[in-house]
Amino acid sequence: MKKVMLFLAVAIVFIQNVLHAQHKTENVVIVTLDGMRWQEVFKGVDAALLANKEFTRDSGFIAEKFTAPTPEASRAKLFPFLWSTIQQNGRLYGNRLYENDMNVANPYNFSYPGYNEIFTGYPDTAVNSNDKIKNKNENVLGFLNKQKGFTGKVAAFTTWDVFPYILNKWKSGIYVNADTDTLHFNNAALSLINDMQFLTAQPLNVRPDIFTYTAAREYMKAYKPRVLYIAFDETDDFAHSGLYDQYLKSAHAEDAMIHDLWNYIQSSPNYKNKTTLIVTCDHGRGDVNKENWRSHGTRIPESSQIWMAVMGPDITPEGEVKKPMQIYQDQIAATIAQLLGFTFTANHPVGKPIQQLFQK
């Protein structure tokens, strides 16, 4: 019996060492595009919304810039980074034309519940408003911040000013810079961005996404976080305003920012070939009734439909995943932890990792 136990112990250590040797992800970057529909991500410009003058005032520019004879060509013009680099080197989930379904698990289909679900892995029905309430649920960013080698190396840059509460920065201990929070850093680039964010116009009453992005990028260059979250907001705001052309322009710009970020990642010895990128959204929008594209929530069931793009050294390239399956938003938190070699545990239930993502 002692020999058997010794053999099992040695075998377990050997397997753990093999798995550790195979594990290449050392950093994770998560980017969210608020309320970005899967329909545009996978099918490109919606012809019905483009033709509707109430929603698309700049239809000529949009048609020239982003439309094409096929949905595949249109989506590639709208999201060139997703449909080149990530398609070639990673995976894209959520094209419902192939029954590759991804949904939120919470019943509400709006922002705070969605972001809570992404980062806590728990579709808590008590999280049912967008109010600035400190989230009682433990999130994976705070969990990682407590792990050896990650303390002080987890940060979030967000356009929406509710994120300090969603991520409960007071409890999780992570750095959260939201909306026009002052950038208190002895760094020339961050000081310049700080000046610009306070001097610029705010058409959507929050700082433009470009300042959220550039602040995150320069912070990444200067302070080398192991886990970085960037939350864009303009797509949702323009959609609620019924401005389809501006919604598309912002989506295209955010794709370009993600491309720029990946270029930096692949140029830095700290990040190159050891960083996994996750791009997703908090909720979908209406589509069955085209008028509902502006909105989301319980009364619009299809607004539970979301998508995700993933690329990194532990992800076998599969491109657009066309296998029928059902995955949920509450699986993302545990997936983030597993990518870094951890099992996310919290003071509440946590969704299981997306195991298909790790299959060769």
Side-chain angles (χ1 to χ4, degrees):
M1 180 61 71
K2 290 182 179 178
K3 290 182 178 179
V4 171
M5 295 300 293
L6 179 62
F7 173 79
L8 290 174
V10 172
I12 290 171
V13 171
F14 174 76
I15 292 170
Q16 288 176 336
N17 288 337
V18 169
L19 291 175
H20 182 75
Q22 294 174 341
H23 188 83
K24 299 177 182 177
T25 297
E26 297 180 13
N27 318 283
V28 172
V29 174
I30 309 105
V31 182
T32 54
L33 282 64
D34 198 300
M36 185 71 232
R37 303 196 316 167
W38 74 269
Q39 286 89 346
E40 280 80 21
V41 172
F42 288 98
K43 298 192 290 184
V45 175
D46 188 313
L49 296 177
L50 177 65
N52 188 320
K53 294 183 179 180
E54 178 186 355
F55 300 140
T56 310
R57 300 175 185 176
D58 197 2
S59 58
F61 175 86
I62 297 298
E64 179 181 355
K65 185 80 172 175
F66 302 129
T67 62
T70 66
E72 292 78 13
S74 178
R75 71 189 187 185
K77 293 177 74 174
L78 184 59
F79 294 100
F81 179 69
L82 290 185
W83 292 109
S84 58
T85 304
I86 295 185
Q87 183 184 32
Q88 293 164 14
N89 300 288
R91 302 184 187 188
L92 294 99
Y93 294 91
N95 190 342
R96 308 182 81 84
L97 298 177
Y98 298 105
E99 298 181 27
N100 189 262
D101 297 347
M102 186 171 185
N103 291 76
V104 303
N106 75 78
Y108 304 116
N109 307 345
F110 63 88
S111 291
Y112 195 140
Y115 291 120
N116 167 74
E117 186 177 331
I118 289 172
F119 290 105
T120 71
Y122 179 40
D124 187 358
T125 56
V127 178
N128 56 15
S129 80
N130 281 337
D131 295 340
K132 291 180 177 178
I133 299 170
K134 292 179 181 178
N135 196 344
K136 69 182 190 313
N137 299 316
E138 295 177 357
N139 67 71
V140 70
L141 302 184
F143 168 82
L144 291 170
N145 192 53
K146 297 175 183 176
Q147 308 307 314
K148 183 179 180 180
F150 288 81
T151 304
K153 291 292 184 178
V154 182
F157 285 78
T158 74
T159 296
W160 193 30
D161 63 359
V162 182
F163 271 103
Y165 298 85
I166 297 171
L167 299 174
N168 199 340
K169 68 176 185 178
W170 303 274
K171 182 179 179 181
S172 64
I174 67 171
Y175 175 69
V176 182
N177 182 279
D179 194 11
T180 49
D181 284 348
T182 301
L183 295 161
H184 293 290
F185 298 101
N186 185 22
N187 176 281
L190 286 166
S191 295
L192 176 59
I193 295 165
N194 188 61
D195 289 343
M196 294 173 71
Q197 73 172 355
F198 283 108
L199 293 171
T200 190
Q202 294 187 352
L204 296 170
N205 299 320
V206 289
R207 71 178 171 196
D209 282 339
I210 184 62
F211 293 124
T212 296
Y213 167 65
T214 51
R217 185 191 66 189
E218 295 309 311
Y219 179 92
M220 193 177 192
K221 290 179 180 179
Y223 300 101
K224 304 297 187 293
R226 298 283 302 276
V227 182
L228 179 66
Y229 172 46
I230 302 173
F232 294 129
D233 191 64
E234 290 176 8
T235 44
D236 190 65
D237 287 337
F238 281 126
H240 281 303
S241 300
L243 300 173
Y244 190 62
D245 44 1
Q246 300 302 323
Y247 163 83
L248 295 177
K249 289 178 182 179
S250 284
H252 181 69
E254 288 162 6
D255 177 89
M257 294 177 212
I258 299 168
H259 188 183
D260 181 73
L261 183 67
W262 188 252
N263 284 343
Y264 166 68
I265 288 170
Q266 290 300 92
S267 70
S268 167
N270 291 82
Y271 297 110
K272 184 177 181 180
N273 297 332
K274 47 190 175 184
T275 301
T276 292
L277 171 68
I278 299 173
V279 185
T280 188
C281 65
D282 54 333
H283 57 73
R285 319 196 74 81
D287 185 63
V288 175
N289 177 348
K290 292 299 180 183
E291 292 285 329
N292 285 340
W293 84 273
R294 296 172 292 183
S295 304
H296 52 89
T298 305
R299 69 182 182 85
I300 304 174
E302 65 268 31
S303 64
S304 74
Q305 301 167 356
I306 59 172
W307 57 276
M308 181 176 66
V310 187
M311 174 174 60
D314 295 302
I315 309 301
T316 302
E318 193 174 327
E320 182 178 11
V321 182
K322 299 179 180 180
K323 301 172 184 175
M325 67 179 68
Q326 176 68 67
I327 54 178
Y328 288 98
Q329 190 176 60
D330 67 354
Q331 297 179 263
I332 296 174
T335 301
I336 293 169
Q338 184 166 322
L339 282 163
L340 292 167
F342 299 102
T343 299
F344 175 40
T345 57
N347 60 356
H348 49 72
V350 174
K352 296 179 180 179
I354 303 169
Q355 292 302 338
Q356 198 276 343
L357 188 64
F358 299 94
Q359 296 173 1
K360 303 298 182 182

